[in-house]
Amino acid sequence: MNVLIKSATIVDSKSDFHNDTCDILIQKGIITQIQKQIENTSKFKEVTLDNLHVSQGWFDSSVSFGEPGYEERETIANGLRTAALSGFTDVAVNSNTNPAIDSYADISFLKAKAQGNPVNLFPIGALTKHSDGEDLGELYDMTNAGAIAFYDYQKPIKNPNLMKLALQYASNFGGLIYSFPQESKISGLGVMNENVMSTSLGLKGNPTLAEELQIVRDLFLLEYTGGKLHIPTISSAKSVALIRDAKARKLDVSCSVAIHNLILTDDELKTFHTRFKVAPPLRTQSDCNALIEGLKDGTIDIVTSDHNPIDIEHKKIEFDYAKYGTVGLETAFGALHTIFSLKKSIDLLTKGKERYGLESIPIAIGEKAKLTLFNPSENYTFNKDMLHSTSKNTIFEGHKLKGKVYGIYSNHQLVLN
């Protein structure tokens, strides 16, 4: 599709046009002109939107859909549509389906389902067969099929020798191993942060110690094996300190944080609403502050929506029995922009691709057009009617957000709200 984007402020620190307000002409998927004013002599589709800003396409490193097996939560087609309308041109999709994505054929299935879509889907294969934590999955075969990393989504690897073998084996082909930071025997049946709040509410607590012990174990294993480790969705101040120290010792470790863990605290659980039941749990304000500081100094590499749709039958029940998870694609930018500047918010949303060997394309003449279109200044209160996801379990319902997404241009296609 040929498109002329009119009067757009470019937010891209890697572009010569950073902070300039320009017209952008896209022909056959390539940016052919960037000028203050471009005449639409060829009658291309023209995009004129209020306070329009554009950036490189956004990337989310942890997205869950339902297909195959849990299509009532989210299909791949609707999940990718939701990603596009939320500003994401690239998403890494978790293996928590039924059956789990743990073979060459499964990875090929996901990629085939996403073929021709404006959003690029990058599969994360299951680390162990069936994600049951017993035997390593077919890591090399899945890499050949297009898997970019390996993760049993939100399932800790209890056996340290299995994690050691995974790091050693994957190092032969540069595979990235995820390890969910939770020591199960310490976390036990905890459903929220162990704190004064859990005691007052009468809910079983999951202490930060469970997260930190697992991180310490995995960092020792990484030092021993010399592999390549990613620790997803950390949530505590001490976790930040541990990873900061590991990076100072030149270990090949990266980590991410879920956007809701930057903003919301365990005080939200006073309502007992299950939309606040997430893994890892919401922690304290001091943890939020440490996580934000970790992003500012580069200790934390990536922010993620950790988008995890859950059907109403598994969410609208007693707190102890409800499943963990929140949808997050639609609120990612609006929430992040409430705590960071525009430049920092966009830097965080476009960061992380290099960890997975994915291309990062600047906004420049002659480059492929992969753009996110948005208005950074609009303030609003988020509600369920704004969701595109099939599931409606949004943790940010009723919260004030800043910045709305118009859509994306990617893979020769324009998608607008």
Side-chain angles (χ1 to χ4, degrees):
M1 175 184 283
N2 298 322
V3 173
L4 177 59
I5 299 173
K6 298 291 291 181
S7 191
T9 301
I10 295 171
V11 185
D12 180 6
S13 57
K14 295 179 181 178
S15 171
D16 293 339
F17 300 93
H18 179 51
N19 286 335
D20 291 345
T21 300
C22 301
D23 292 354
I24 303 171
L25 182 63
I26 302 169
Q27 295 176 280
K28 297 180 180 179
I30 303 296
I31 298 173
T32 56
Q33 292 185 54
I34 302 177
Q35 296 178 15
K36 287 294 182 184
Q37 182 111 11
I38 300 173
E39 293 298 322
N40 193 4
T41 55
S42 298
K43 305 300 180 185
F44 291 159
K45 180 174 178 59
E46 196 167 298
V47 177
T48 305
L49 297 164
D50 183 49
N51 193 30
L52 176 59
H53 286 59
V54 300
S55 71
Q56 289 187 34
W58 300 345
F59 169 64
D60 197 328
S61 64
S62 180
V63 170
S64 299
F65 298 143
E67 190 177 357
Y70 301 117
E71 286 83 358
E72 72 279 6
R73 299 178 186 176
E74 194 77 278
T75 62
I76 292 171
N78 194 67
L80 292 175
R81 175 179 173 272
T82 297
L85 294 173
S86 303
F88 292 90
T89 58
D90 303 272
V91 293
V93 176
N94 293 307
S95 62
N96 54 328
T97 53
N98 185 22
I101 304 299
D102 66 355
S103 70
Y104 186 105
D106 294 331
I107 298 294
S108 299
F109 166 79
L110 283 186
K111 290 182 73 67
K113 291 288 288 188
Q115 193 168 10
N117 200 281
V119 178
N120 299 304
L121 184 156
F122 298 101
I124 298 175
L127 181 58
T128 64
K129 292 179 181 178
H130 316 300
S131 285
D132 62 9
E134 296 296 325
D135 300 297
L136 281 184
E138 301 169 5
L139 308 189
Y140 185 64
D141 280 354
M142 286 190 282
T143 297
N144 289 335
I148 61 168
F150 306 99
Y151 180 27
D152 291 347
Y153 181 71
Q154 292 189 349
K155 292 182 177 181
I157 300 298
K158 299 176 185 178
N159 182 349
N161 191 54
L162 185 63
M163 179 55 63
K164 183 197 77 170
L165 292 172
L167 288 165
Q168 287 176 324
Y169 177 60
S171 67
N172 291 308
F173 52 89
L176 181 62
I177 300 298
Y178 279 48
S179 180
F180 184 62
Q182 181 171 288
E183 213 301 324
S184 300
K185 288 185 173 61
I186 299 291
S187 62
L189 298 176
V191 293
M192 67 169 292
N193 183 45
E194 183 180 271
N195 194 22
V196 173
M197 186 59 64
S198 63
T199 303
S200 66
L201 296 177
L203 293 173
K204 295 182 180 68
N206 178 352
T208 60
L209 176 65
E211 176 172 305
E212 295 145 9
L213 273 179
Q214 193 82 344
I215 289 175
V216 169
R217 183 204 77 172
D218 290 338
L219 291 175
F220 270 111
L221 289 170
L222 179 63
E223 190 170 25
Y224 179 82
T225 61
K228 188 176 176 184
L229 178 66
H230 181 74
I231 301 173
T233 57
I234 65 171
S235 67
S236 84
K238 191 169 284 187
S239 295
V240 178
L242 288 167
I243 294 168
R244 184 179 289 123
D245 176 69
K247 288 189 169 187
R249 292 186 285 119
K250 308 299 183 185
L251 296 184
D252 192 356
V253 60
S254 56
C255 66
S256 66
V257 61
I259 292 169
H260 50 262
N261 281 107
L262 296 169
I263 298 168
L264 305 177
T265 70
D266 55 4
D267 284 347
E268 301 284 352
L269 276 81
K270 289 176 182 177
T271 63
F272 288 94
H273 202 295
T274 58
R275 69 173 178 268
F276 299 113
K277 186 177 181 182
V278 290
L282 301 178
R283 303 290 189 185
T284 66
Q285 188 60 55
S286 62
D287 291 310
C288 290
N289 294 341
L291 292 165
I292 291 169
E293 189 57 38
L295 283 169
K296 288 179 178 178
D297 68 17
T299 299
I300 302 175
D301 303 89
I302 301 170
V303 296
T304 173
S305 70
D306 205 23
H307 181 82
N308 188 13
I310 304 294
D311 54 282
I312 193 170
E313 287 82 5
H314 288 99
K315 206 62 173 171
K316 198 171 183 179
I317 53 178
E318 295 93 334
F319 199 93
D320 279 344
Y321 301 109
K323 286 190 175 294
Y324 294 95
T326 176
V327 294
L329 286 168
E330 296 99 322
T331 54
F333 174 55
L336 200 62
H337 193 29
T338 63
I339 54 173
F340 290 113
S341 68
L342 175 59
K343 180 182 180 300
K344 184 65 174 178
S345 298
I346 299 305
D347 282 348
L348 292 172
L349 288 167
T350 55
K351 192 180 175 187
K353 296 176 189 177
E354 60 280 355
R355 184 61 169 166
Y356 301 88
L358 307 178
E359 62 180 357
S360 184
I361 305 172
I363 300 175
I365 296 168
E367 294 284 0
K368 185 161 51 173
K370 188 189 283 189
L371 307 173
T372 297
L373 291 72
F374 58 96
N375 177 352
S377 61
E378 188 166 346
N379 295 286
Y380 58 100
T381 300
F382 193 82
N383 63 66
K384 287 183 178 180
D385 292 338
M386 299 174 181
L387 290 171
H388 305 290
S389 302
T390 303
S391 295
K392 307 300 178 185
N393 54 307
T394 172
I395 201 168
F396 283 109
E397 183 180 357
H399 282 263
K400 293 181 179 179
L401 305 183
K402 183 181 180 182
K404 278 197 169 181
V405 175
Y406 288 127
I408 63 170
Y409 183 96
S410 177
N411 294 337
H412 300 243
Q413 298 173 65
L414 178 69
V415 182
L416 296 176
N417 278 291

